[in-house]
């Protein structure tokens, strides 16, 4: 292996790649713009839809309002978001109208339970609605909030008339105190999004280059040209591998930068519009998180590049290559999505699961958690996987028919026949 | 023609495994030598073993038996040195579409160890020689097949190798492009290059080759100058000589 040759080959690969639209789009433009733009579009759409929902009035029927509570009726009628119909006089006919979508909810005042009649004018409210319909659920929420507020004030008034203090009437209260800072909330959001997108982007960054540098060369008939240059086979393969990994790293790093900027500049302001409390989210990263993320991106890129190139080496055309390599991309998502379901930090077990370990390591780093022995385990596991892939690649490339693209079959068939089967040496003949 | 041997092939063999046919001997113990300033022709029908032989000489494939050396370097033990001494041109050695002609030549010069300080000058000389200055800085993918052919030939010789292999170089070319190719090969021979030229087109072999080996089913049936072939077979035209040799081989088989 000669590093001078590798550098010349690497530069050639990179120069060609940066002139190929599919590679520039997948490895640079998508990581940089797609997800920030997608986030902006999604959140803007959410704001728009929320706004539309808020403007839609809820159609109600109110039955059997006790005379002592006409104020509640007045309150409900005063709300512009509620449209109260007076042409329906029974609960049954109202329920029918809800089922056919002509009404959103019916509010029925009932007498209190037998053991709750100690207080004059006590009442129950039954809200009938259709849970399967958004508009009906929204009507329920609107009415429930108004009735609950009215009822709380009424109980307080009645209790006060009976000389029962506020403290006495509510001996058992549930209080909440959110101790997380805006920074913690920002870290929570980043911890969910950045690891997922970083892994996806590194894999996406490797996807097209891995196919282009193997199956693409065969399809363009440049593979044989390359096989006649004086550089060793190992130098050729190393240059290609480093080139694919470089684009994977580039995609990952660009995406993290873009995500970080867009979370602050796009997502934060949009959360205010949705009403999630802008003050609750502050986006900043611990200083150490950056090198940890970059190291994770490098390790992931080395792994994805090796795995994808092995599979793509079996393809004769770009299309075949896409079919063979794309499953790796989707497989990468599974452990991350499962890993998102828990608040657990990196453990020795998770650190032993490739890809999931890197995602968790990044999430921990965003949250300011650095468990160095487990970070070391994560990197060691990924590097062992890389080494295993490279050893496999070396074994596979010993077979001339595969090297020249005349082997007709997938990696699985090859592994079965050549690496494990009885005809292990035939390809070299 | 000088007598300095640039390519030596001894009992060279290549077997493949084919699922339906089992072990196939594509090249079955061939011997020949090629000298500086000589065009050596490998003449054979499709599937005769020409390309496999040339790919072994170019170290793309490994021989399963016998020996071969180029410019004194063994194809098995010194593959990088062999490739450095060699320019290989075939219908399946395409150019990188997203590089320009100039970038292509610079890349192949550098990767084949042409002295770095002379690369620019060498590339300039070849651009001039092949008349490709007008489109040297355009991407290869934008060029016509004739333009690509010129860049391909320049790519093959850019590192000034002593041995050149042309594997069916005129396949798919129009008449004018094929004639241009023949002219270039003659020029290169006159510059002292050792050229191995494979073809199944008899007229090309007749016009270009100093010596011709007739190859059939992986074996060399006859080897010599055109005159020697005529004397040995009593036939005048190469086409008749070829048919005579093949029929004789199949009759004795």
């Amino acid at each position: 292996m000669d590093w001078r040759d590798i550098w010349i080959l690497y530069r050639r690969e990179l120069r060609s790649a940066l002139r190929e639209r599919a590679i520039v789009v997948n490895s640079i433009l998508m990581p940089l713009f797609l997800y920030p733009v997608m986030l902006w579009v999604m959140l803007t759409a959410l704001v728009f839809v929320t706004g539309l929902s808020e403007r839609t009035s809820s159609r109600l029927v109110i039955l059997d309002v006790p005379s002592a509570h006409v104020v509640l009726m007045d309150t409900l009628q005063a709300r512009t978001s509620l449209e109260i119909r007076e042409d329906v006089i029974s609960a049954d006919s109202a329920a029918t109208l809800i089922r056919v979508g002509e009404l959103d909810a019916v509010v029925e005042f009932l007498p209190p339970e037998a053991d709750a009649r100690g207080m004059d004018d006590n009442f129950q409210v039954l809200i009938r609605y259709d849970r399967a319909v958004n508009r009906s659920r929204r009507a329920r929420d609107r009415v429930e909030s108004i009735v609950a507020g009215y009822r709380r004030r009424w109980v307080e008034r009645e209790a006060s008339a009976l000389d029962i203090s506020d403290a006495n009437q509510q001996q058992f209260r549930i209080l909440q105190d959110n101790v997380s800072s805006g920074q913690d909330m920002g870290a929570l959001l980043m911890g969910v999004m950045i690891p997922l997108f970083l892994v996806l982007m590194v894999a996406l960054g490797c996807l097209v280059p891995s196919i282009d540098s193997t199956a693409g060369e065969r399809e363009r008939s440049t593979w044989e040209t390359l096989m006649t240059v004086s550089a060793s086979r190992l130098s050729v393969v190393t240059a290609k591998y480093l080139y694919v990994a470089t684009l994977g790293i580039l995609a990952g790093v660009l995406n993290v930068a873009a995500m970080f900027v867009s979370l602050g500049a796009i997502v934060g302001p949009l959360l205010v519009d949705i009403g999630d409390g802008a003050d609750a989210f502050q986006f900043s990263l611990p200083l150490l998180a950056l090198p940890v993320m970059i190291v994770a991106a490098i390790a992931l890129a080395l792994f994805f590049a090796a795995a994808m190139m092995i599979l793509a080496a079996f393809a004769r055309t770009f299309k075949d290559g896409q079919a063979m390599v794309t499953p790796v991309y989707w497989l990468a998502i599974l452990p991350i999505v499962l890993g998102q379901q828990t608040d657990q930090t990196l453990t020795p077990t998770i650190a032993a699961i490739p890809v999931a370990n890197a995602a968790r390591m990044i999430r921990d780093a965003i949250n300011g958690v650095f468990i160095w022995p487990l970070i070391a385990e994560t990197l060691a596991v990924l590097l062992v996987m890389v080494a295993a892939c490279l050893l496999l690649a070396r074994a596979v490339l010993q077979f001339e028919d595969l090297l020249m693209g005349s082997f007709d079959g997938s990696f699985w068939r090859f592994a079965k026949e050549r690496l494990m089967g009885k005809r292990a040496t035939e390809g070299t003949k | 023609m000088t007598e300095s041997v640039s390519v030596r092939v001894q009992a060279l063999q290549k077997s493949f495994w084919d699922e339906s046919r089992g072990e196939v001997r594509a090249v079955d113990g061939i011997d020949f030598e090629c000298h500086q300033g000589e065009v050596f022709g490998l003449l054979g029908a499709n599937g005769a073993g020409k390309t496999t032989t040339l790919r072994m000489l170019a170290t793309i494939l490994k021989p399963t038996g016998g020996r071969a050396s180029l410019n004194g370097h063994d194809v098995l033990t010194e593959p990088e040195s062999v490739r450095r001494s060699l320019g290989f041109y075939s219908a399946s050695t395409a150019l990188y579409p997203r590089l320009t002609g100039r970038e292509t030549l610079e890349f192949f010069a550098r990767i084949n160890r042409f002295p770095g300080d002379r690369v620019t000058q060498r590339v300039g000389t070849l651009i001039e020689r092949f008349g490709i200055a007008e489109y040297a800085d355009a991407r290869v993918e934008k060029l016509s097949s004739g333009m690509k052919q010129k860049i391909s030939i320049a790519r093959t010789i850019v590192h000034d190798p002593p041995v050149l292999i042309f594997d069916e170089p005129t396949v798919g070319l129009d008449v004018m492009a094929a004639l241009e190719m023949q002219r270039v090969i003659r020029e290169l021979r006159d510059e002292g290059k050792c050229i191995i030229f494979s073809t199944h087109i008899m007229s090309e072999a007749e016009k270009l080759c100093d010596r011709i080996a007739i190859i059939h089913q992986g074996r060399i049936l006859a080897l010599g100058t055109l005159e020697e072939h005529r004397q040995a077979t009593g036939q005048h035209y190469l086409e008749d000589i070829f048919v005579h040799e093949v029929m004789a081989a199949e009759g004795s088989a």
Side-chain angles (χ1 to χ4, degrees):
Chain A
M1 194 161 74
D2 185 311
W3 286 102
R4 177 194 166 275
D5 288 347
I6 291 172
W7 174 239
I8 294 170
L9 291 159
Y10 174 83
R11 277 196 333 177
R12 205 284 306 156
E13 295 279 358
L14 214 54
R15 179 177 275 173
S16 282
L18 294 177
R19 290 174 182 173
E20 167 61 39
R21 194 167 40 183
I23 293 176
V24 172
V25 167
N26 279 286
S27 301
I28 297 173
L29 296 182
M30 276 176 62
L32 205 51
F33 297 114
L34 177 74
Y35 287 101
V37 168
M38 216 165 79
L39 269 178
W40 177 79
V41 169
M42 273 169 53
L43 288 171
T44 305
L46 195 58
V47 169
F48 178 71
V49 170
T50 308
L52 278 183
S53 303
E54 289 303 319
R55 280 197 291 274
T56 312
S57 60
S58 301
R59 298 159 302 174
L60 300 178
V61 166
I62 301 172
L63 298 172
D64 306 329
V65 186
S67 56
H69 299 293
V70 286
V71 178
L72 172 59
M73 186 64 183
D74 294 342
T75 308
L76 291 169
Q77 280 174 330
R79 290 294 172 97
T80 51
S81 59
L82 302 177
E83 181 191 319
I84 297 167
R85 286 176 60 173
E86 291 172 353
D87 55 338
V88 184
I89 52 165
S90 79
D92 288 342
S93 56
T96 308
L97 290 172
I98 291 173
R99 278 191 208 100
V100 297
E102 288 182 18
L103 199 62
D104 298 321
V106 55
V107 183
E108 195 178 349
F109 283 79
L110 304 173
E113 297 286 333
D115 54 353
R117 284 185 182 140
M119 199 184 282
D120 290 341
D121 303 320
N122 200 0
F123 67 98
Q124 295 182 84
V125 167
L126 172 67
I127 304 171
R128 285 182 204 276
Y129 72 107
D130 185 344
R131 198 178 174 185
V133 178
N134 276 333
R135 192 171 172 176
S136 186
R137 283 204 305 275
R138 200 176 314 117
R140 176 207 61 188
D141 292 344
R142 284 170 172 169
V143 170
E144 190 178 21
S145 127
I146 295 168
V147 173
Y150 172 80
R151 183 172 174 75
R152 194 184 63 248
R153 288 191 298 277
W154 178 77
V155 169
E156 282 168 5
R157 229 176 16 250
E158 293 294 310
S160 176
L162 293 170
D163 285 334
I164 302 170
S165 68
D166 275 3
N168 278 334
Q169 59 172 298
Q170 293 188 45
Q171 288 295 332
F172 180 73
R173 294 183 186 200
I174 299 172
L175 302 173
Q176 292 182 10
D177 180 24
N178 180 6
V179 297
S180 69
S181 63
Q183 219 166 4
D184 293 335
M185 294 301 289
L188 172 74
L189 197 59
M190 287 193 295
V192 171
M193 298 178 81
I194 289 182
L196 176 68
F197 286 127
L198 179 71
V199 173
L200 287 181
M201 283 299 115
V202 170
L204 187 67
C206 291
L207 185 78
V208 177
S210 68
I211 304 168
D212 187 65
S213 63
T214 49
E217 288 249 24
R218 290 204 179 108
E219 193 170 22
R220 292 188 296 267
S221 296
T222 49
W223 185 254
E224 191 164 315
T225 318
L226 191 61
M227 291 294 101
T228 64
V229 300
S230 71
S232 69
R233 300 281 186 267
L234 190 58
S235 296
V236 170
V237 173
T238 305
K240 283 183 177 294
Y241 174 60
L242 292 177
Y243 144 71
V244 175
T246 300
L247 286 183
I249 294 164
L250 189 68
V253 170
L254 285 176
N255 183 248
V256 168
M259 288 294 292
F260 186 66
V261 170
S262 61
L263 280 171
I266 300 171
V267 180
L270 285 171
L271 286 176
V272 184
D273 294 343
I274 298 171
D276 266 1
D279 299 341
F281 291 91
Q282 285 172 16
F283 300 102
S284 63
L285 283 174
L287 200 62
L288 267 176
L290 210 60
V292 167
M293 281 195 280
I294 291 172
V295 168
I298 293 171
L300 284 168
L302 291 172
F303 171 57
F304 283 130
M308 288 178 173
M309 282 180 74
I310 288 176
L311 295 176
F314 287 83
R316 293 183 194 182
T317 63
F318 198 92
K319 208 173 166 185
D320 285 350
Q322 275 181 313
M324 288 176 182
V325 174
T326 306
V328 176
Y329 180 72
W330 294 116
L331 274 177
I333 300 173
L334 192 64
I336 313 166
V337 172
L338 292 177
Q340 297 283 19
Q341 306 306 314
T342 163
D343 281 335
Q344 206 175 22
T345 56
L346 202 56
T347 63
T349 310
I350 295 174
I353 305 170
V355 182
N357 55 7
R360 184 44 54 97
M361 182 176 100
I362 296 164
R363 187 168 161 176
D364 284 358
I366 290 168
N367 287 309
V369 177
F370 300 95
I371 310 170
W372 296 110
L374 295 180
I375 289 175
E377 184 189 331
T378 297
L379 295 176
V381 166
L382 286 171
L383 292 178
V384 165
M385 293 301 293
V386 169
C389 287
L390 294 180
L391 284 173
L392 184 62
R394 193 177 155 193
V396 160
L397 289 174
Q398 299 297 315
F399 292 88
E400 221 164 50
D401 55 347
L402 182 76
L403 191 68
M404 294 310 297
S406 54
F407 178 78
D408 186 17
S410 67
F411 172 76
W412 309 113
R413 184 181 158 202
F414 183 87
K416 204 169 134 191
E417 287 182 3
R418 302 285 176 81
L419 302 179
M420 296 179 283
K422 61 186 174 71
R423 290 199 281 119
T425 58
E426 281 160 6
T428 58
K429 282 187 174 178
Chain B
M1 183 175 79
T2 70
E3 284 305 309
S4 171
V5 176
S6 289
V7 178
R8 179 169 281 134
V9 175
Q10 295 169 301
L12 199 64
Q13 286 182 6
K14 181 68 184 176
S15 301
F16 291 108
W17 178 266
D18 184 89
E19 270 193 11
S20 53
R21 293 181 293 168
E23 188 172 311
V24 176
R25 283 199 171 183
V27 176
D28 193 6
I30 63 172
D31 304 86
F32 66 86
E33 286 179 353
C34 183
H35 308 91
Q36 285 179 8
E38 177 186 31
V39 178
F40 180 86
L42 273 180
L43 182 67
N46 292 332
K50 305 186 295 292
T51 297
T52 305
T53 302
L54 298 182
R55 281 180 171 172
M56 283 191 283
L57 293 181
T59 74
I60 297 170
L61 298 177
K62 280 184 184 167
T64 44
R67 296 184 63 185
S69 65
L70 271 86
N71 219 29
H73 303 294
D74 188 272
V75 294
L76 269 178
T77 57
E78 304 166 89
E80 284 92 16
S81 302
V82 166
R83 292 197 292 270
R84 208 169 297 145
S85 311
L86 174 71
F88 187 89
Y89 180 105
S90 83
S92 51
T93 49
L95 298 170
Y96 288 106
R98 299 190 288 264
L99 294 187
T100 67
R102 190 185 303 278
E103 287 166 348
T104 301
L105 298 183
E106 283 177 358
F107 166 69
F108 282 99
R110 289 184 202 283
I111 197 65
N112 286 315
R113 302 294 176 102
F114 191 80
D117 54 342
R118 288 169 46 210
V119 167
T120 309
Q121 186 194 355
R122 172 73 175 161
V123 168
T125 306
L126 289 176
I127 286 174
E128 192 72 26
R129 174 176 177 176
F130 288 98
I132 52 182
E134 206 178 311
Y135 48 86
D137 295 309
R139 284 195 205 172
V140 167
E141 63 193 346
K142 310 270 185 201
L143 304 180
S144 69
S145 53
M147 293 168 175
K148 283 180 191 166
Q149 182 207 348
K150 286 182 179 177
I151 295 173
S152 267
I153 301 169
R155 186 277 298 167
T156 308
I157 63 170
V158 68
H159 56 296
D160 198 19
V163 180
L164 294 167
I165 291 177
F166 288 91
D167 183 14
E168 309 239 21
T170 56
V171 167
L173 298 184
D174 61 37
V175 176
M176 298 308 286
L179 289 174
E180 170 70 10
M181 175 65 80
Q182 290 169 16
R183 185 188 64 76
V184 171
I185 289 172
R186 272 193 216 98
E187 274 180 19
L188 292 167
R189 178 194 47 200
D190 296 343
E191 289 168 17
K193 305 288 183 194
C194 166
I195 299 170
I196 303 178
F197 176 84
S198 93
T199 184
H200 63 274
I201 304 168
M202 308 294 160
S203 58
E204 259 183 11
E206 247 176 27
K207 278 197 280 183
L208 270 180
C209 300
D210 299 303
R211 287 188 304 143
I212 299 166
I214 295 174
I215 184 167
H216 182 65
Q217 293 182 341
R219 292 179 178 205
I220 290 182
L221 303 180
L223 193 162
T225 62
L226 184 57
E227 200 47 48
E228 286 166 349
H229 282 300
R230 283 173 178 156
Q231 282 172 11
T233 60
Q235 305 290 327
H236 182 77
Y237 295 109
L238 188 54
E239 195 172 64
D240 297 329
I241 294 167
F242 181 80
V243 172
H244 180 274
E245 293 290 0
V246 169
M247 297 290 275
E250 290 190 344
S252 65

